[in-house]
């Protein structure tokens, strides 16, 4: 579930740009992938925390709904990989993927183009479509087109809450024949501590996911 490229599920530079001046917050998020019939294929709750360019995404796979691979959790839980914390650090051109149960972390290099997408400004065009209530908030429904410095365009339908600092409480995008919907709830405009975006101390670092999985199968 992605807006424009690699990253944690549903969390990409284009999505982050929709937050506008809301650069410090924590929110419960729900990512859904809907098929052409508009029925849910995959659903995944997460906690999203942002502090300037730093992003933290916490996922408990025990709460994932996967219509097509219902046994996905059964493969992850025995390895201790069902809880995942992703630390997206474009300022370091790095993404850390931590597995708290394993006390393990993988350091992934972030391509320069991807890091720049998080750090550089882009042209954002908004067209009002309607006034609707979404996630319990009065909202302005908008068509948003983001054009980056490479001329690539990314489009979304966004519901911004007028009484919540214009926060985008719902974002819908098209991914091929699917629709990706991200909803935000329990938004708190607080500044998280910087250490929340650092890999946890005492963790074993692996070079890649394959090495971590091999270690997990022995360790857990």
């Amino acid at each position: 579930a992605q807006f424009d490229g690699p990253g944690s599920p549903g969390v990409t530079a284009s999505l982050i740009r929709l937050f506008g001046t809301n650069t410090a917050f924590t929110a419960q998020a729900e990512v859904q992938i809907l098929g052409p019939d508009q029925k849910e294929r995959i659903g995944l709750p997460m906690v999203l925390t942002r502090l300037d360019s730093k992003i933290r995404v916490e996922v408990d796979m025990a709460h994932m709904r996967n219509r097509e691979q219902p046994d996905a959790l059964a493969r992850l839980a025995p390895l201790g990989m069902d809880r995942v914390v992703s630390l997206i650090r474009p300022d370091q051109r790095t993404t850390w993927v931590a597995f708290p149960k394993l006390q393990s972390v993988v350091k992934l290099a972030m391509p320069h183009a991807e890091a720049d997408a998080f750090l550089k400004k882009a042209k954002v065009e908004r067209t009002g479509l309607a006034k609707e209530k979404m996630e319990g908030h009065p909202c302005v429904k908008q068509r948003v087109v983001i054009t980056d410095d490479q001329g690539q365009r990314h489009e979304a339908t966004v519901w911004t809450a007028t009484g919540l600092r214009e926060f985008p409480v719902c974002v819908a995008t098209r991914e091929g024949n699917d629709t990706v919907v991200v909803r935000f709830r329990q938004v708190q405009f607080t500044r998280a501590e910087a250490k929340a975006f650092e890999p946890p101390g005492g963790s074993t670092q692996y070079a890649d996911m394959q090495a971590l999985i091999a270690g997990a199968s022995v360790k857990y």
Side-chain angles (χ1 to χ4, degrees):
Q2 299 176 350
F3 196 169
D4 69 348
S8 290
V11 182
T12 60
S14 292
L15 178 68
I16 297 303
R17 283 165 172 157
L18 295 175
F19 295 123
T21 58
N22 295 302
T23 58
F25 64 84
T26 296
Q28 302 287 329
E30 180 88 22
V31 179
Q32 287 182 298
I33 301 179
L34 310 178
D37 57 0
Q38 292 302 295
K39 292 183 178 179
E40 181 183 271
R41 291 178 48 228
I42 298 174
L44 182 66
M46 60 181 66
V47 179
L48 175 66
T49 302
R50 181 186 182 188
L51 180 63
D52 303 320
S53 68
K54 298 181 284 290
I55 301 153
R56 177 187 174 100
V57 184
E58 302 171 55
V59 175
D60 185 345
M61 301 296 284
H63 300 291
M64 180 178 71
R65 305 177 300 277
N66 192 328
R67 193 175 73 185
E68 297 171 354
Q69 296 182 19
D71 62 337
L73 177 63
R75 297 196 297 268
L76 293 173
L79 295 175
M81 297 178 66
D82 47 328
R83 284 200 59 222
V84 188
V85 178
S86 297
L87 307 172
I88 304 173
R89 295 295 305 269
D91 56 323
Q92 298 177 350
R93 302 190 184 282
T94 298
T95 296
W96 297 91
V97 183
F99 297 87
K101 288 184 178 181
L102 294 172
Q103 294 184 305
S104 300
V105 64
V106 176
K107 182 180 181 180
L108 303 175
M110 185 183 296
H112 282 240
E114 185 182 347
D116 288 345
F118 279 98
L119 298 171
K120 291 183 177 180
K121 292 185 177 181
K123 181 181 179 181
V124 180
E125 300 172 272
R126 299 176 182 267
T127 303
L129 302 175
K131 292 184 179 181
E132 297 179 352
K133 201 165 189 178
M134 181 64 71
E135 297 302 320
H137 300 279
C139 293
V140 176
K141 181 181 179 181
Q142 301 172 323
R143 173 178 175 267
V144 180
V145 178
I146 296 174
T147 307
D148 62 24
D149 60 351
Q150 302 298 315
Q152 295 187 12
R153 290 162 54 90
H154 313 284
E155 183 175 330
T157 303
V158 182
W159 287 260
T160 57
T162 53
L164 197 65
R165 302 187 187 180
E166 307 299 323
F167 194 92
V169 293
C170 184
V171 177
T173 61
R174 294 285 297 175
E175 294 287 343
N177 293 323
D178 295 335
T179 302
V180 180
V181 180
V182 187
R183 302 173 186 272
F184 295 95
R185 301 160 183 153
Q186 301 180 39
V187 182
Q188 299 179 356
F189 297 104
T190 54
R191 292 185 66 84
E193 295 184 19
K195 66 180 182 181
F197 304 91
E198 299 290 342
S203 294
T204 301
Q205 183 174 327
Y206 290 88
D208 52 40
M209 290 300 298
Q210 287 76 16
L212 183 141
I213 292 171
S217 62
V218 174
K219 182 177 182 180
Y220 201 69

